[in-house]
Amino acid sequence: MTEDFRKLFGSSEGVRVYRAPGRVNLIGEHTDYNLGFVLPVALNLATYIATAPSGDGMLRIYSEDRREMRQWPVTGIASLGRARHWTDYPVGVAQQLIGAGFAIEPANLLIRSRVPEGSGLSSSAALEVSSALAFLNGRALPPLELARLCQRAEVQFVGMPCGIMDQYISIFGRERTAVEIDCRSLEHRDVQLPAGVTFLAVNTMVKHALARSAYQERVQECLAAVIRIRAQFPLVESLRDVPPDQFRSLERLLPGVILRRARHVVTETARVGQFVAASEQGALDGMGALMVESHRSLQHDYEVSCAELDFLVDRALEIEGVFGSRMTGGGFGGSTVTMLRPDAVPHFRRQISEAYEGKFGVVPAIYPCEPSAGAGEVKDF
Ligand code: ADP
Ligand code: MG
């Protein structure tokens, strides 16, 4: 990257490189903004940013993937508005840093990402977190504050009312373990995954236009459910507070669509705990069954799946050696995650690729989900 940085900006003196990974969520989908539990894994697919002082008062950002350069005088960063452009992610982060008392120094940034965009593997959080580290360029910020600041950039500046999962796991990811995050207390614990299984993400290669508006609609629907429940049970502040065995008694409070949305969140939050317990007992079939339950709930109750995701899940479940499969990420395209025996990987790859291409005319990209370390500076690049 140093060489490419030098070609692009004329000098690579003082260059430093920061990395922030994408993620795959094993279970707990659309629960983070309801303050429930999630169980993601940081991937070895990551976004890298090389940065060095520019010395001329300018902030320049180049995305290799977009082949596009943008620049601003650093003195103007604080007053930029949303541009509905990819630079909204780094600019939103820069503004949050300014708000937190960190000056944005004149600098050049080269972005190189291995997290496929719009794949449900969270290229957006990888971009936010790597940008934040590049802007800080060695200045310290506690990791939880970093995660919250990047989330605020996406919510307030980009306009996507996301939960904290993606930014959190990009920062707190660990090698060889999944991370169970309590999205209310913002505490986490490492969860050992059993031996004898592996996880693969399969990318539908589509992202339907509906994705963003439907996400915003789901956030609103969950809020509507909470308002109705709280009118009778004032202690319920989010759907996280509704235990699944009490949900039946609340059903009469909720109109049809809202009822199904809430039922997904309540049951999905419970499934995270069940999945963690199954994982710690090495109950592989139980884990797989929970993944499939999660997918069916997202498909029928939450209605955020699509034909491509459903096809990949249904087809995966027919392949020898597969324990379970589900959509991962926000939905309406993006990827599935499948749990399978390691020896089944070669024929799984072949069969799922052939089937998907036969049906949709596109070869799906497939990524191993090797739990990797969270964001930081890359010392030997
Ligand atoms: P996901 O996070 O699932 O990949 P999002 O829609 O949340 O999907 O984020 C994708 C957006 O993030 C892209 O449309 C683009 O604006 C931005 N982005 C991600 N990676 C890059 C990159 N390498 N260069 C420029 N923009 C990027
Ligand atoms: Mg995203």
Side-chain angles (χ1 to χ4, degrees), residues 89 122-125 154 166 207:
Y89 294 89
S122 195
S123 68
S124 57
E154 186 153 345
D166 298 355
K207 179 163 183 176

PDB file of all heavy atoms in Angstrom, residues 89 122-125 154 166 207, ligand 2:
ATOM      1  N   TYR A  89     -19.625   8.459   4.905  1.00  0.00           N
ATOM      2  CA  TYR A  89     -19.177   7.623   6.032  1.00  0.00           C
ATOM      3  C   TYR A  89     -17.942   8.226   6.707  1.00  0.00           C
ATOM      4  O   TYR A  89     -17.984   8.521   7.901  1.00  0.00           O
ATOM      5  CB  TYR A  89     -18.935   6.172   5.578  1.00  0.00           C
ATOM      6  CG  TYR A  89     -20.214   5.472   5.145  1.00  0.00           C
ATOM      7  CD1 TYR A  89     -20.659   5.529   3.828  1.00  0.00           C
ATOM      8  CD2 TYR A  89     -20.987   4.766   6.054  1.00  0.00           C
ATOM      9  CE1 TYR A  89     -21.839   4.907   3.429  1.00  0.00           C
ATOM     10  CE2 TYR A  89     -22.175   4.126   5.667  1.00  0.00           C
ATOM     11  CZ  TYR A  89     -22.590   4.202   4.353  1.00  0.00           C
ATOM     12  OH  TYR A  89     -23.756   3.591   3.967  1.00  0.00           O
ATOM     13  N   SER A 122     -21.029  -5.912   6.259  1.00  0.00           N
ATOM     14  CA  SER A 122     -20.733  -4.653   6.926  1.00  0.00           C
ATOM     15  C   SER A 122     -19.476  -3.931   6.452  1.00  0.00           C
ATOM     16  O   SER A 122     -18.569  -3.622   7.221  1.00  0.00           O
ATOM     17  CB  SER A 122     -20.676  -4.851   8.446  1.00  0.00           C
ATOM     18  OG  SER A 122     -20.736  -3.583   9.052  1.00  0.00           O
ATOM     19  N   SER A 123     -19.474  -3.630   5.168  1.00  0.00           N
ATOM     20  CA  SER A 123     -18.401  -2.780   4.638  1.00  0.00           C
ATOM     21  C   SER A 123     -18.529  -1.370   5.205  1.00  0.00           C
ATOM     22  O   SER A 123     -17.530  -0.654   5.326  1.00  0.00           O
ATOM     23  CB  SER A 123     -18.454  -2.739   3.113  1.00  0.00           C
ATOM     24  OG  SER A 123     -19.603  -2.046   2.659  1.00  0.00           O
ATOM     25  N   SER A 124     -19.743  -0.965   5.563  1.00  0.00           N
ATOM     26  CA  SER A 124     -19.933   0.408   6.050  1.00  0.00           C
ATOM     27  C   SER A 124     -19.240   0.615   7.398  1.00  0.00           C
ATOM     28  O   SER A 124     -18.517   1.588   7.581  1.00  0.00           O
ATOM     29  CB  SER A 124     -21.416   0.774   6.129  1.00  0.00           C
ATOM     30  OG  SER A 124     -22.125  -0.110   6.953  1.00  0.00           O
ATOM     31  N   ALA A 125     -19.447  -0.319   8.329  1.00  0.00           N
ATOM     32  CA  ALA A 125     -18.788  -0.165   9.634  1.00  0.00           C
ATOM     33  C   ALA A 125     -17.272  -0.311   9.494  1.00  0.00           C
ATOM     34  O   ALA A 125     -16.512   0.387  10.166  1.00  0.00           O
ATOM     35  CB  ALA A 125     -19.329  -1.182  10.635  1.00  0.00           C
ATOM     36  N   GLU A 154     -23.115   6.942  11.418  1.00  0.00           N
ATOM     37  CA  GLU A 154     -24.007   6.282  10.457  1.00  0.00           C
ATOM     38  C   GLU A 154     -25.467   6.698  10.685  1.00  0.00           C
ATOM     39  O   GLU A 154     -26.213   6.933   9.745  1.00  0.00           O
ATOM     40  CB  GLU A 154     -23.843   4.755  10.519  1.00  0.00           C
ATOM     41  CG  GLU A 154     -24.648   4.043   9.434  1.00  0.00           C
ATOM     42  CD  GLU A 154     -24.101   2.694   9.003  1.00  0.00           C
ATOM     43  OE1 GLU A 154     -22.932   2.374   9.310  1.00  0.00           O
ATOM     44  OE2 GLU A 154     -24.849   1.949   8.347  1.00  0.00           O
ATOM     45  N   ASP A 166     -22.393  -3.708  14.251  1.00  0.00           N
ATOM     46  CA  ASP A 166     -21.346  -3.756  13.225  1.00  0.00           C
ATOM     47  C   ASP A 166     -20.078  -3.026  13.663  1.00  0.00           C
ATOM     48  O   ASP A 166     -18.964  -3.513  13.474  1.00  0.00           O
ATOM     49  CB  ASP A 166     -21.858  -3.138  11.915  1.00  0.00           C
ATOM     50  CG  ASP A 166     -23.034  -3.916  11.350  1.00  0.00           C
ATOM     51  OD1 ASP A 166     -23.385  -4.973  11.900  1.00  0.00           O
ATOM     52  OD2 ASP A 166     -23.617  -3.440  10.350  1.00  0.00           O
ATOM     53  N   LYS A 207     -28.388  -6.516  -3.893  1.00  0.00           N
ATOM     54  CA  LYS A 207     -28.915  -5.754  -2.773  1.00  0.00           C
ATOM     55  C   LYS A 207     -30.095  -4.977  -3.326  1.00  0.00           C
ATOM     56  O   LYS A 207     -29.941  -4.088  -4.160  1.00  0.00           O
ATOM     57  CB  LYS A 207     -27.858  -4.805  -2.209  1.00  0.00           C
ATOM     58  CG  LYS A 207     -28.414  -3.996  -1.051  1.00  0.00           C
ATOM     59  CD  LYS A 207     -27.327  -3.371  -0.212  1.00  0.00           C
ATOM     60  CE  LYS A 207     -27.931  -2.642   0.962  1.00  0.00           C
ATOM     61  NZ  LYS A 207     -26.921  -2.090   1.853  1.00  0.00           N
TER      62      LYS A 207
HETATM   63 MG    MG B   2     -23.704  -1.523   6.626  1.00  0.00          MG
END
